[in-house]
Amino acid sequence: MTRPLPDALLQVPHRRDVPFSKLTTLGVGGLCHWLFEPTTEAEAQTFVRACAQEGLPWRVLGGGSNLVVLGDVTTPVLRLALPKTVQREGNTLCATASHGHIALAEAAATIGLSGLEFASGIPGSLGGAIRMNAGAYGREWVEVLARYRFLTPEGDLVEKAPEPGEFRYRWSFLTGGRVILSATAALAEGDPAGIRARVAEFRGKRGTSQPLSKRNAGCIFKNPPGQSAGRLIDQAGLKGLRIGDAEVSPEHANFLVNHGKATAAEFAELMARVQAAVAERWGVALEPEVEIWRDDPDGSSSGH
Ligand code: EPU
């Protein structure tokens, strides 16, 4: 049974029944019954406050590039639609969470600021990247993050510098009802040609080792400490394992790809089969790196 939503919440721009296939890069999932898209920080604050006052569970969606949705979602979903701005001050760049992550890395390269080259192939929104402390090629966001601005679960606005314990491998404390609004990266002046060459090198590496031409959600499982999930899946002989249109990529085993008409159920089954096979072959329990939203028919989920 779904609860009626409070009037304050309905003041925030929203759409009904949007298919998750249009909101995620993997392109599966059911309907997002309530998609709230605030265009200002104040509207985002109204959303969070209204939910907090009513004790309503809700979730945050970014660029949908690290998300597997396994069904319909009836809890309200927040997807920031803030203007995509970038401001330079000295050697720092401040951008809104809605800004495209790759576009921000490209903006930094264009103006000759070095430090975000690692980010140039990681899709999604800046907010999503900070929230999961995205990284590649041995670098991660927390290394360049100077300040960030977010809403607390009560809807209060906080701006601060990162502190120990707030970010670690593919994890940050910016979950559980916290919403990142903007972030400032501390970069260094560099030679634009050199920066562009590093960007091209990282892109080239990704392009040859990852199935970027197919719909995917990036790496599906976290690397277990000291090991590579891709290698464990590969050496368990699972490349090319296919259920319907969902397949363990023959190019990189930690990517599951959608050949076109895959369903959420097929991805759920494929993930479970991979986990079971790796546990049996290597005795390792693979933990999802992607966020998973499960079918939520009664709106009782507390996930974000
Ligand atoms: N490998 C295999 N078979 C495979 C895939 C990989 O044997 O099918 C081996 C490779 O040969 C290599 C090792 O596993 O020796 C590691 O592979 P790779 O260099 O591709 O890196 P990864 O650990 O699989 C990580 C991140 C990626 C990021 C790359 C490049 C995680 C879970 N994955 O992948 O991030 O792009 O490094 O820095 O941390 C993501 O977060 O979504 C993501 C794709």
Side-chain angles (χ1 to χ4, degrees), residues 232-241 248 253 273-275 277-278:
L232 295 173
I233 300 168
D234 187 355
Q235 293 181 354
L238 299 170
K239 275 186 171 175
L241 176 65
V248 176
R273 297 252 303 257
V274 167
Q275 283 172 310
V278 167

Side-chain angles (χ1 to χ4, degrees), residues 66 132 135-138 169-170 206 209-210 217-219 221-223 228 230-231 234 239 251-255 289:
N66 196 48
M132 66 167 304
Y137 304 109
Y169 170 66
R170 297 297 192 273
R206 264 178 84 95
S209 65
Q210 301 179 358
C219 285
F221 299 104
K222 290 183 186 175
N223 283 339
S228 156
R231 190 184 297 125
D234 187 355
K239 275 186 171 175
E251 289 172 67
H252 193 301
N254 199 13
F255 278 67
E289 194 259 359

Side-chain angles (χ1 to χ4, degrees), residues 129-192:
I130 305 285
R131 179 197 178 290
M132 66 167 304
N133 188 22
Y137 304 109
R139 304 294 310 275
E140 56 185 10
W141 248 99
V142 66
E143 294 168 34
V144 289
L145 187 61
R147 297 189 72 72
Y148 59 98
R149 204 170 148 83
F150 69 100
L151 291 172
T152 67
E154 294 73 41
D156 297 329
L157 196 63
V158 176
E159 185 170 339
K160 67 191 290 297
E163 285 173 62
E166 290 177 351
F167 296 87
R168 47 177 197 261
Y169 170 66
R170 297 297 192 273
W171 179 91
S172 85
F173 85 121
L174 291 160
T175 55
R178 297 181 185 91
V179 185
I180 173 109
L181 296 171
S182 65
T184 303
L187 305 171
E189 255 180 277
D191 161 41

